[in-house]
Amino acid sequence: MRKITADYVYPVSSPMIRNGVVVIDENGKIIDVGQRKDYQESDLEFFSGAIIPGLVNAHCHLELSHMKGVAKTGTGLLPFLSTVVNFRDVDQSQIMEAIKNGDQEMQQDGIVAVGDISNKLDTAATKTKSSIRYYTFVEMFDFMQDALADQIYGGYKEVYDGQADGNGNKKSCVPHAPYTVSKSLYKKINDTNISPATISIHNQETEHEDRLFQEKKGDFLEFYKMFNFSLDAFQPSGKTSIHYAMENMDPGQKTLFVHNTMSSVEDIETAKGWNSNVFWATCPNANLFIENRLPNYKNFLDTNAKVCIGTDSLTSNWQLSIIEEMKTIAKFQSYVDFETLLKWATLNGAEALGFEDEIGSIETGKSPGLVLLENFDPEKGIIDLKNWFRIDQA
């Protein structure tokens, strides 16, 4: 057993402990959590800083890791999506190497679980070998063309069947976004997933998305023309895009709305009324990379929404670090305090992915991984934080 102590221990599920101690066995399972005064000093390993649970990346596209540096920043969502579509296919060995490196980067940054979007089977082998728990979301889209639903579903079902499952990993079929999935494809997705499952969907990432559903106006009309898909049959509802998603998704499953840059208090409250198991993944660095804007986090605090944190992909980010995402939120919307950010980055993400029995908080019986925020000062939060690393593996 190891008895690890630091200036601060943040269990997340209970209040911070000054001069706290975490006792773990040889497999990283937590045996006890207490205070330094209750242990023999000679038995303790001393660290300067704060001990937190392993981090959860609630939204990632690991299979796009090879596209780091390809997309331009600040172009907006639709030019960004065009770049992804037109430049994602390169030599397969390059793709596989980038996937392996991305997984290792997340392990080194103290990430213990990832909600990962997959359109292909490229990441399956890496996930099987990784120490990270993966919830793979096999993402489907037919550009709202009901006539294509059968064909599209059949192709992606093969990807679903081949994805890593078991040994801590999970998977489900999910819709890409409200603006790319027909009612027919939504139904096929719903019929495939067995409860309990988590269903991820990109949501309200740009103002053009809401304009499409409210008025059938905005840049999405040109986007569809670019890919030679007709929107003639589409009729606007006068409501924001999240309403179309809720009308067609299964409220009996956990739902993970992703990005939510434009989500209002009304949108959030409506979703909570639709499904009590709704989670909201924010990817702040990706939002800045693509759209030069962030969600209004006050909307989520005011509604007591269950927020978690993701990185998106290396196509839309400079790194795959949840700590860096926390630092970005703290820099631009500093009213979100550290302990709230920490819950978003750990326990909320674990709950969203259905891993909360094992990870997400420092509690007896769990094996959450332990991360040290070196020389952490709770008065400054994480703005000045330079170093962090896993200490349960040291």
Side-chain angles (χ1 to χ4, degrees):
M1 287 194 300
R2 296 176 62 196
K3 300 175 181 178
I4 303 171
T5 184
D7 305 309
Y8 313 96
V9 171
Y10 286 89
V12 179
S13 56
S14 57
M16 180 266 285
I17 306 169
R18 289 185 180 272
N19 299 319
V21 175
V22 183
V23 183
I24 59 174
D25 67 13
E26 65 275 12
N27 298 313
K29 184 176 181 178
I30 295 176
I31 306 302
D32 194 22
V33 183
Q35 289 184 296
R36 195 177 293 170
K37 63 182 179 61
D38 298 321
Y39 296 86
Q40 291 288 335
E41 186 171 311
S42 58
D43 294 336
L44 299 176
E45 297 178 50
F46 286 80
F47 292 90
S48 173
I51 296 173
I52 63 172
L55 300 153
V56 178
N57 184 349
H59 180 75
C60 186
H61 295 252
L62 184 61
E63 69 186 17
L64 298 179
S65 297
H66 64 285
M67 292 186 65
K68 184 174 183 179
V70 172
K72 302 296 184 183
T73 61
T75 62
L77 179 63
L78 299 182
F80 172 80
L81 290 177
S82 298
T83 298
V84 172
V85 170
N86 292 319
F87 294 96
R88 69 176 292 168
D89 293 326
V90 299
D91 183 79
Q92 191 64 25
S93 63
Q94 181 181 338
I95 292 173
M96 300 306 288
E97 183 68 15
I99 287 168
K100 183 180 73 172
N101 292 340
D103 172 79
Q104 291 174 351
E105 178 183 336
M106 288 192 285
Q107 291 185 51
Q108 291 165 2
D109 278 326
I111 292 170
V112 298
V114 177
D116 188 60
I117 300 293
S118 290
N119 304 120
K120 299 182 178 183
L121 280 169
D122 294 346
T123 59
T126 294
K127 289 171 179 174
T128 300
K129 299 173 185 176
S130 178
S131 64
I132 291 175
R133 295 168 181 261
Y134 279 94
Y135 198 126
T136 299
F137 299 118
V138 178
E139 183 182 76
M140 304 184 181
F141 52 92
D142 61 0
F143 289 93
M144 291 200 290
Q145 308 297 306
D146 284 278
L148 294 178
D150 286 342
Q151 175 189 342
I152 294 294
Y153 175 80
Y156 283 121
K157 183 61 164 58
E158 293 181 10
V159 177
Y160 172 80
D161 290 339
Q163 283 295 339
D165 195 17
N167 296 321
N169 294 320
K170 300 181 181 183
K171 62 183 179 181
S172 60
C173 295
V174 304
H176 166 253
Y179 55 86
T180 54
V181 181
S182 69
K183 291 178 180 292
S184 298
L185 186 54
Y186 270 116
K187 186 177 187 309
K188 291 182 177 297
I189 291 169
N190 294 342
D191 291 344
T192 302
N193 292 312
I194 300 171
S195 189
T198 300
I199 312 303
S200 164
I201 183 169
H202 294 80
N203 177 63
Q204 294 177 297
E205 195 171 352
T206 175
E207 61 188 7
H208 300 289
E209 182 178 332
D210 282 336
R211 284 200 73 197
L212 175 67
F213 285 89
Q214 290 171 320
E215 308 172 80
K216 200 175 180 178
K217 295 180 180 179
D219 288 357
F220 269 109
L221 300 180
E222 285 300 317
F223 179 76
Y224 271 77
K225 286 181 183 177
M226 183 172 60
F227 290 103
N228 295 316
F229 288 113
S230 172
L231 279 178
D232 290 347
F234 172 76
Q235 295 298 319
S237 65
K239 300 177 181 178
T240 55
S241 64
I242 194 172
H243 288 81
Y244 176 72
M246 290 186 291
E247 288 166 8
N248 290 283
M249 295 177 73
D250 182 357
Q253 307 282 26
K254 284 184 181 178
T255 303
L256 179 60
F257 290 111
V258 179
H259 292 302
N260 315 303
T261 316
M262 308 305 300
S263 298
S264 67
V265 167
E266 181 182 1
D267 290 325
I268 298 166
E269 292 284 19
T270 300
K272 289 175 66 178
W274 166 75
N275 182 347
S276 60
N277 265 322
V278 167
F279 293 81
W280 308 84
T282 183
C283 306
N285 283 321
N287 292 155
L288 292 174
F289 189 109
I290 298 170
E291 290 265 336
N292 277 331
R293 68 191 305 167
L294 292 173
N296 182 354
Y297 294 113
K298 192 172 186 299
N299 290 345
F300 299 92
L301 295 175
D302 289 348
T303 54
N304 198 30
K306 296 177 182 177
V307 178
C308 40
I309 299 177
T311 62
D312 213 67
S313 74
L314 285 174
T315 320
S316 59
N317 206 331
W318 299 270
Q319 67 278 307
L320 299 177
S321 167
I322 293 298
I323 294 289
E324 291 297 336
E325 303 296 325
M326 295 169 68
K327 289 166 72 173
T328 293
I329 297 172
K331 179 178 181 180
F332 289 101
Q333 299 191 35
S334 59
Y335 58 84
V336 186
D337 63 71
F338 170 73
E339 293 194 41
T340 296
L341 287 175
L342 182 60
K343 188 174 182 180
W344 291 2
T346 55
L347 187 55
N348 283 6
E351 290 179 353
L353 302 180
F355 294 144
E356 70 273 20
D357 288 345
E358 290 290 326
I359 65 172
S361 59
I362 299 174
E363 298 180 69
T364 302
K366 288 190 175 186
S367 302
L370 300 178
V371 174
L372 180 75
L373 307 182
E374 201 168 40
N375 300 314
F376 176 80
D377 181 349
E379 298 301 319
K380 294 181 179 179
I382 59 172
I383 293 295
D384 297 326
L385 182 64
K386 297 294 191 299
N387 299 311
W388 59 91
F389 54 91
R390 286 280 296 270
I391 56 173
D392 58 317
Q393 296 179 336

PDB file of all heavy atoms in Angstrom, residues 9-14 17 21-24 30 32-33 51-54 359-366 368-371:
ATOM      1  N   VAL A   9      -6.303  17.736  -0.696  1.00  0.00           N
ATOM      2  CA  VAL A   9      -6.907  16.603  -1.400  1.00  0.00           C
ATOM      3  C   VAL A   9      -8.340  16.999  -1.745  1.00  0.00           C
ATOM      4  O   VAL A   9      -9.107  17.420  -0.866  1.00  0.00           O
ATOM      5  CB  VAL A   9      -6.890  15.315  -0.553  1.00  0.00           C
ATOM      6  CG1 VAL A   9      -7.728  14.220  -1.229  1.00  0.00           C
ATOM      7  CG2 VAL A   9      -5.465  14.836  -0.327  1.00  0.00           C
ATOM      8  N   TYR A  10      -8.678  16.882  -3.030  1.00  0.00           N
ATOM      9  CA  TYR A  10     -10.025  17.212  -3.496  1.00  0.00           C
ATOM     10  C   TYR A  10     -10.751  15.917  -3.887  1.00  0.00           C
ATOM     11  O   TYR A  10     -10.606  15.445  -5.017  1.00  0.00           O
ATOM     12  CB  TYR A  10      -9.959  18.148  -4.701  1.00  0.00           C
ATOM     13  CG  TYR A  10      -9.571  19.563  -4.363  1.00  0.00           C
ATOM     14  CD1 TYR A  10      -8.234  19.960  -4.339  1.00  0.00           C
ATOM     15  CD2 TYR A  10     -10.541  20.517  -4.076  1.00  0.00           C
ATOM     16  CE1 TYR A  10      -7.876  21.268  -4.033  1.00  0.00           C
ATOM     17  CE2 TYR A  10     -10.196  21.831  -3.776  1.00  0.00           C
ATOM     18  CZ  TYR A  10      -8.860  22.201  -3.747  1.00  0.00           C
ATOM     19  OH  TYR A  10      -8.507  23.505  -3.450  1.00  0.00           O
ATOM     20  N   PRO A  11     -11.541  15.350  -2.971  1.00  0.00           N
ATOM     21  CA  PRO A  11     -12.269  14.128  -3.319  1.00  0.00           C
ATOM     22  C   PRO A  11     -13.348  14.350  -4.384  1.00  0.00           C
ATOM     23  O   PRO A  11     -13.784  13.410  -5.033  1.00  0.00           O
ATOM     24  CB  PRO A  11     -12.899  13.696  -1.994  1.00  0.00           C
ATOM     25  CG  PRO A  11     -12.109  14.393  -0.934  1.00  0.00           C
ATOM     26  CD  PRO A  11     -11.693  15.691  -1.551  1.00  0.00           C
ATOM     27  N   VAL A  12     -13.820  15.579  -4.536  1.00  0.00           N
ATOM     28  CA  VAL A  12     -14.879  16.022  -5.455  1.00  0.00           C
ATOM     29  C   VAL A  12     -16.264  15.689  -4.910  1.00  0.00           C
ATOM     30  O   VAL A  12     -17.154  16.534  -4.883  1.00  0.00           O
ATOM     31  CB  VAL A  12     -14.713  15.442  -6.875  1.00  0.00           C
ATOM     32  CG1 VAL A  12     -15.845  15.907  -7.790  1.00  0.00           C
ATOM     33  CG2 VAL A  12     -13.375  15.855  -7.468  1.00  0.00           C
ATOM     34  N   SER A  13     -16.471  14.462  -4.462  1.00  0.00           N
ATOM     35  CA  SER A  13     -17.772  14.071  -3.920  1.00  0.00           C
ATOM     36  C   SER A  13     -17.974  14.536  -2.488  1.00  0.00           C
ATOM     37  O   SER A  13     -19.062  14.397  -1.927  1.00  0.00           O
ATOM     38  CB  SER A  13     -17.924  12.549  -3.979  1.00  0.00           C
ATOM     39  OG  SER A  13     -16.856  11.913  -3.292  1.00  0.00           O
ATOM     40  N   SER A  14     -16.930  15.101  -1.903  1.00  0.00           N
ATOM     41  CA  SER A  14     -16.981  15.636  -0.535  1.00  0.00           C
ATOM     42  C   SER A  14     -16.011  16.810  -0.456  1.00  0.00           C
ATOM     43  O   SER A  14     -15.216  17.030  -1.375  1.00  0.00           O
ATOM     44  CB  SER A  14     -16.622  14.552   0.484  1.00  0.00           C
ATOM     45  OG  SER A  14     -15.349  14.007   0.223  1.00  0.00           O
ATOM     46  N   ILE A  17      -9.851  18.446   1.605  1.00  0.00           N
ATOM     47  CA  ILE A  17      -9.179  18.095   2.858  1.00  0.00           C
ATOM     48  C   ILE A  17      -7.794  18.726   2.853  1.00  0.00           C
ATOM     49  O   ILE A  17      -6.958  18.422   1.993  1.00  0.00           O
ATOM     50  CB  ILE A  17      -9.043  16.571   3.022  1.00  0.00           C
ATOM     51  CG1 ILE A  17     -10.406  15.878   2.875  1.00  0.00           C
ATOM     52  CG2 ILE A  17      -8.404  16.226   4.359  1.00  0.00           C
ATOM     53  CD1 ILE A  17     -10.311  14.368   2.753  1.00  0.00           C
ATOM     54  N   VAL A  21      -4.699  12.729   3.068  1.00  0.00           N
ATOM     55  CA  VAL A  21      -3.974  11.497   2.774  1.00  0.00           C
ATOM     56  C   VAL A  21      -4.898  10.580   1.973  1.00  0.00           C
ATOM     57  O   VAL A  21      -6.080  10.439   2.296  1.00  0.00           O
ATOM     58  CB  VAL A  21      -3.522  10.770   4.058  1.00  0.00           C
ATOM     59  CG1 VAL A  21      -2.873   9.423   3.732  1.00  0.00           C
ATOM     60  CG2 VAL A  21      -2.558  11.644   4.855  1.00  0.00           C
ATOM     61  N   VAL A  22      -4.336   9.983   0.930  1.00  0.00           N
ATOM     62  CA  VAL A  22      -5.055   8.970   0.162  1.00  0.00           C
ATOM     63  C   VAL A  22      -4.249   7.683   0.203  1.00  0.00           C
ATOM     64  O   VAL A  22      -3.070   7.671  -0.173  1.00  0.00           O
ATOM     65  CB  VAL A  22      -5.269   9.411  -1.297  1.00  0.00           C
ATOM     66  CG1 VAL A  22      -6.089   8.360  -2.047  1.00  0.00           C
ATOM     67  CG2 VAL A  22      -5.947  10.772  -1.367  1.00  0.00           C
ATOM     68  N   VAL A  23      -4.864   6.613   0.673  1.00  0.00           N
ATOM     69  CA  VAL A  23      -4.210   5.306   0.758  1.00  0.00           C
ATOM     70  C   VAL A  23      -4.699   4.444  -0.403  1.00  0.00           C
ATOM     71  O   VAL A  23      -5.909   4.270  -0.590  1.00  0.00           O
ATOM     72  CB  VAL A  23      -4.522   4.604   2.097  1.00  0.00           C
ATOM     73  CG1 VAL A  23      -3.771   3.272   2.189  1.00  0.00           C
ATOM     74  CG2 VAL A  23      -4.160   5.505   3.279  1.00  0.00           C
ATOM     75  N   ILE A  24      -3.758   3.922  -1.189  1.00  0.00           N
ATOM     76  CA  ILE A  24      -4.121   3.088  -2.338  1.00  0.00           C
ATOM     77  C   ILE A  24      -3.365   1.757  -2.275  1.00  0.00           C
ATOM     78  O   ILE A  24      -2.275   1.672  -1.701  1.00  0.00           O
ATOM     79  CB  ILE A  24      -3.820   3.784  -3.678  1.00  0.00           C
ATOM     80  CG1 ILE A  24      -2.334   4.134  -3.791  1.00  0.00           C
ATOM     81  CG2 ILE A  24      -4.684   5.015  -3.848  1.00  0.00           C
ATOM     82  CD1 ILE A  24      -1.930   4.691  -5.153  1.00  0.00           C
ATOM     83  N   ILE A  30      -8.566   2.722  -3.978  1.00  0.00           N
ATOM     84  CA  ILE A  30      -8.504   3.536  -2.773  1.00  0.00           C
ATOM     85  C   ILE A  30      -8.964   2.729  -1.563  1.00  0.00           C
ATOM     86  O   ILE A  30     -10.077   2.206  -1.529  1.00  0.00           O
ATOM     87  CB  ILE A  30      -9.345   4.812  -2.932  1.00  0.00           C
ATOM     88  CG1 ILE A  30      -8.733   5.690  -4.035  1.00  0.00           C
ATOM     89  CG2 ILE A  30      -9.402   5.592  -1.612  1.00  0.00           C
ATOM     90  CD1 ILE A  30      -9.520   6.921  -4.343  1.00  0.00           C
ATOM     91  N   ASP A  32      -8.377   4.090   1.760  1.00  0.00           N
ATOM     92  CA  ASP A  32      -8.793   5.032   2.802  1.00  0.00           C
ATOM     93  C   ASP A  32      -8.496   6.454   2.342  1.00  0.00           C
ATOM     94  O   ASP A  32      -7.603   6.696   1.524  1.00  0.00           O
ATOM     95  CB  ASP A  32      -8.054   4.734   4.110  1.00  0.00           C
ATOM     96  CG  ASP A  32      -8.661   5.444   5.316  1.00  0.00           C
ATOM     97  OD1 ASP A  32      -9.849   5.814   5.237  1.00  0.00           O
ATOM     98  OD2 ASP A  32      -7.951   5.632   6.319  1.00  0.00           O
ATOM     99  N   VAL A  33      -9.248   7.397   2.882  1.00  0.00           N
ATOM    100  CA  VAL A  33      -9.027   8.828   2.661  1.00  0.00           C
ATOM    101  C   VAL A  33      -9.109   9.506   4.018  1.00  0.00           C
ATOM    102  O   VAL A  33     -10.080   9.303   4.764  1.00  0.00           O
ATOM    103  CB  VAL A  33     -10.087   9.443   1.714  1.00  0.00           C
ATOM    104  CG1 VAL A  33      -9.783  10.913   1.459  1.00  0.00           C
ATOM    105  CG2 VAL A  33     -10.158   8.675   0.405  1.00  0.00           C
ATOM    106  N   ILE A  51      -4.015  16.974  -4.712  1.00  0.00           N
ATOM    107  CA  ILE A  51      -4.362  15.690  -5.317  1.00  0.00           C
ATOM    108  C   ILE A  51      -5.816  15.755  -5.766  1.00  0.00           C
ATOM    109  O   ILE A  51      -6.710  16.114  -4.990  1.00  0.00           O
ATOM    110  CB  ILE A  51      -4.172  14.529  -4.331  1.00  0.00           C
ATOM    111  CG1 ILE A  51      -2.690  14.385  -3.952  1.00  0.00           C
ATOM    112  CG2 ILE A  51      -4.702  13.217  -4.918  1.00  0.00           C
ATOM    113  CD1 ILE A  51      -2.431  13.369  -2.852  1.00  0.00           C
ATOM    114  N   ILE A  52      -6.048  15.393  -7.033  1.00  0.00           N
ATOM    115  CA  ILE A  52      -7.398  15.343  -7.589  1.00  0.00           C
ATOM    116  C   ILE A  52      -7.599  13.983  -8.254  1.00  0.00           C
ATOM    117  O   ILE A  52      -6.623  13.265  -8.526  1.00  0.00           O
ATOM    118  CB  ILE A  52      -7.636  16.466  -8.623  1.00  0.00           C
ATOM    119  CG1 ILE A  52      -6.701  16.303  -9.827  1.00  0.00           C
ATOM    120  CG2 ILE A  52      -7.456  17.839  -7.977  1.00  0.00           C
ATOM    121  CD1 ILE A  52      -7.004  17.248 -10.985  1.00  0.00           C
ATOM    122  N   PRO A  53      -8.839  13.589  -8.519  1.00  0.00           N
ATOM    123  CA  PRO A  53      -9.050  12.335  -9.248  1.00  0.00           C
ATOM    124  C   PRO A  53      -8.587  12.449 -10.695  1.00  0.00           C
ATOM    125  O   PRO A  53      -8.451  13.552 -11.231  1.00  0.00           O
ATOM    126  CB  PRO A  53     -10.577  12.134  -9.192  1.00  0.00           C
ATOM    127  CG  PRO A  53     -11.128  13.217  -8.358  1.00  0.00           C
ATOM    128  CD  PRO A  53     -10.096  14.272  -8.218  1.00  0.00           C
ATOM    129  N   GLY A  54      -8.378  11.304 -11.338  1.00  0.00           N
ATOM    130  CA  GLY A  54      -8.093  11.290 -12.763  1.00  0.00           C
ATOM    131  C   GLY A  54      -9.180  12.007 -13.542  1.00  0.00           C
ATOM    132  O   GLY A  54     -10.351  12.022 -13.158  1.00  0.00           O
ATOM    133  N   ILE A 359     -14.581   5.589 -11.211  1.00  0.00           N
ATOM    134  CA  ILE A 359     -13.712   6.764 -11.346  1.00  0.00           C
ATOM    135  C   ILE A 359     -14.510   8.030 -11.073  1.00  0.00           C
ATOM    136  O   ILE A 359     -15.698   7.992 -10.778  1.00  0.00           O
ATOM    137  CB  ILE A 359     -13.087   6.833 -12.758  1.00  0.00           C
ATOM    138  CG1 ILE A 359     -14.180   7.060 -13.813  1.00  0.00           C
ATOM    139  CG2 ILE A 359     -12.291   5.563 -13.076  1.00  0.00           C
ATOM    140  CD1 ILE A 359     -13.652   7.339 -15.207  1.00  0.00           C
ATOM    141  N   GLY A 360     -13.841   9.190 -11.144  1.00  0.00           N
ATOM    142  CA  GLY A 360     -14.527  10.477 -11.053  1.00  0.00           C
ATOM    143  C   GLY A 360     -14.428  11.163  -9.712  1.00  0.00           C
ATOM    144  O   GLY A 360     -14.634  12.369  -9.612  1.00  0.00           O
ATOM    145  N   SER A 361     -14.121  10.402  -8.653  1.00  0.00           N
ATOM    146  CA  SER A 361     -14.003  10.994  -7.318  1.00  0.00           C
ATOM    147  C   SER A 361     -13.093  10.115  -6.470  1.00  0.00           C
ATOM    148  O   SER A 361     -12.900   8.930  -6.762  1.00  0.00           O
ATOM    149  CB  SER A 361     -15.375  11.134  -6.647  1.00  0.00           C
ATOM    150  OG  SER A 361     -16.003   9.868  -6.521  1.00  0.00           O
ATOM    151  N   ILE A 362     -12.529  10.711  -5.435  1.00  0.00           N
ATOM    152  CA  ILE A 362     -11.629   9.989  -4.540  1.00  0.00           C
ATOM    153  C   ILE A 362     -12.453   9.444  -3.383  1.00  0.00           C
ATOM    154  O   ILE A 362     -12.728  10.147  -2.402  1.00  0.00           O
ATOM    155  CB  ILE A 362     -10.491  10.904  -4.046  1.00  0.00           C
ATOM    156  CG1 ILE A 362      -9.672  11.406  -5.241  1.00  0.00           C
ATOM    157  CG2 ILE A 362      -9.599  10.178  -3.051  1.00  0.00           C
ATOM    158  CD1 ILE A 362      -8.598  12.428  -4.884  1.00  0.00           C
ATOM    159  N   GLU A 363     -12.873   8.201  -3.532  1.00  0.00           N
ATOM    160  CA  GLU A 363     -13.710   7.530  -2.544  1.00  0.00           C
ATOM    161  C   GLU A 363     -13.216   6.104  -2.345  1.00  0.00           C
ATOM    162  O   GLU A 363     -12.729   5.472  -3.288  1.00  0.00           O
ATOM    163  CB  GLU A 363     -15.167   7.497  -2.991  1.00  0.00           C
ATOM    164  CG  GLU A 363     -15.824   8.839  -3.168  1.00  0.00           C
ATOM    165  CD  GLU A 363     -17.276   8.704  -3.611  1.00  0.00           C
ATOM    166  OE1 GLU A 363     -18.096   8.233  -2.782  1.00  0.00           O
ATOM    167  OE2 GLU A 363     -17.593   9.048  -4.763  1.00  0.00           O
ATOM    168  N   THR A 364     -13.356   5.594  -1.131  1.00  0.00           N
ATOM    169  CA  THR A 364     -12.959   4.229  -0.820  1.00  0.00           C
ATOM    170  C   THR A 364     -13.649   3.251  -1.767  1.00  0.00           C
ATOM    171  O   THR A 364     -14.849   3.326  -2.001  1.00  0.00           O
ATOM    172  CB  THR A 364     -13.320   3.878   0.636  1.00  0.00           C
ATOM    173  OG1 THR A 364     -12.666   4.812   1.505  1.00  0.00           O
ATOM    174  CG2 THR A 364     -12.884   2.470   0.984  1.00  0.00           C
ATOM    175  N   GLY A 365     -12.855   2.359  -2.333  1.00  0.00           N
ATOM    176  CA  GLY A 365     -13.374   1.342  -3.230  1.00  0.00           C
ATOM    177  C   GLY A 365     -13.245   1.683  -4.698  1.00  0.00           C
ATOM    178  O   GLY A 365     -13.336   0.798  -5.548  1.00  0.00           O
ATOM    179  N   LYS A 366     -13.047   2.962  -5.026  1.00  0.00           N
ATOM    180  CA  LYS A 366     -12.873   3.365  -6.414  1.00  0.00           C
ATOM    181  C   LYS A 366     -11.399   3.287  -6.825  1.00  0.00           C
ATOM    182  O   LYS A 366     -10.498   3.254  -5.984  1.00  0.00           O
ATOM    183  CB  LYS A 366     -13.369   4.797  -6.636  1.00  0.00           C
ATOM    184  CG  LYS A 366     -14.886   4.965  -6.606  1.00  0.00           C
ATOM    185  CD  LYS A 366     -15.268   6.364  -7.082  1.00  0.00           C
ATOM    186  CE  LYS A 366     -16.764   6.548  -7.183  1.00  0.00           C
ATOM    187  NZ  LYS A 366     -17.132   7.862  -7.773  1.00  0.00           N
ATOM    188  N   PRO A 368      -9.847   5.715  -9.259  1.00  0.00           N
ATOM    189  CA  PRO A 368     -10.043   6.842 -10.172  1.00  0.00           C
ATOM    190  C   PRO A 368      -8.783   7.363 -10.846  1.00  0.00           C
ATOM    191  O   PRO A 368      -8.864   8.198 -11.746  1.00  0.00           O
ATOM    192  CB  PRO A 368     -10.618   7.918  -9.249  1.00  0.00           C
ATOM    193  CG  PRO A 368      -9.949   7.649  -7.936  1.00  0.00           C
ATOM    194  CD  PRO A 368      -9.821   6.143  -7.854  1.00  0.00           C
ATOM    195  N   GLY A 369      -7.606   6.862 -10.417  1.00  0.00           N
ATOM    196  CA  GLY A 369      -6.377   7.522 -10.811  1.00  0.00           C
ATOM    197  C   GLY A 369      -6.197   8.769  -9.963  1.00  0.00           C
ATOM    198  O   GLY A 369      -7.178   9.425  -9.592  1.00  0.00           O
ATOM    199  N   LEU A 370      -4.965   9.082  -9.613  1.00  0.00           N
ATOM    200  CA  LEU A 370      -4.678  10.264  -8.793  1.00  0.00           C
ATOM    201  C   LEU A 370      -3.740  11.185  -9.558  1.00  0.00           C
ATOM    202  O   LEU A 370      -2.690  10.755 -10.035  1.00  0.00           O
ATOM    203  CB  LEU A 370      -4.041   9.869  -7.460  1.00  0.00           C
ATOM    204  CG  LEU A 370      -4.867   8.953  -6.553  1.00  0.00           C
ATOM    205  CD1 LEU A 370      -4.074   8.625  -5.297  1.00  0.00           C
ATOM    206  CD2 LEU A 370      -6.202   9.590  -6.188  1.00  0.00           C
ATOM    207  N   VAL A 371      -4.128  12.439  -9.675  1.00  0.00           N
ATOM    208  CA  VAL A 371      -3.327  13.442 -10.379  1.00  0.00           C
ATOM    209  C   VAL A 371      -2.866  14.481  -9.380  1.00  0.00           C
ATOM    210  O   VAL A 371      -3.665  14.958  -8.552  1.00  0.00           O
ATOM    211  CB  VAL A 371      -4.147  14.112 -11.499  1.00  0.00           C
ATOM    212  CG1 VAL A 371      -3.380  15.260 -12.137  1.00  0.00           C
ATOM    213  CG2 VAL A 371      -4.534  13.078 -12.557  1.00  0.00           C
TER     214      VAL A 371
END
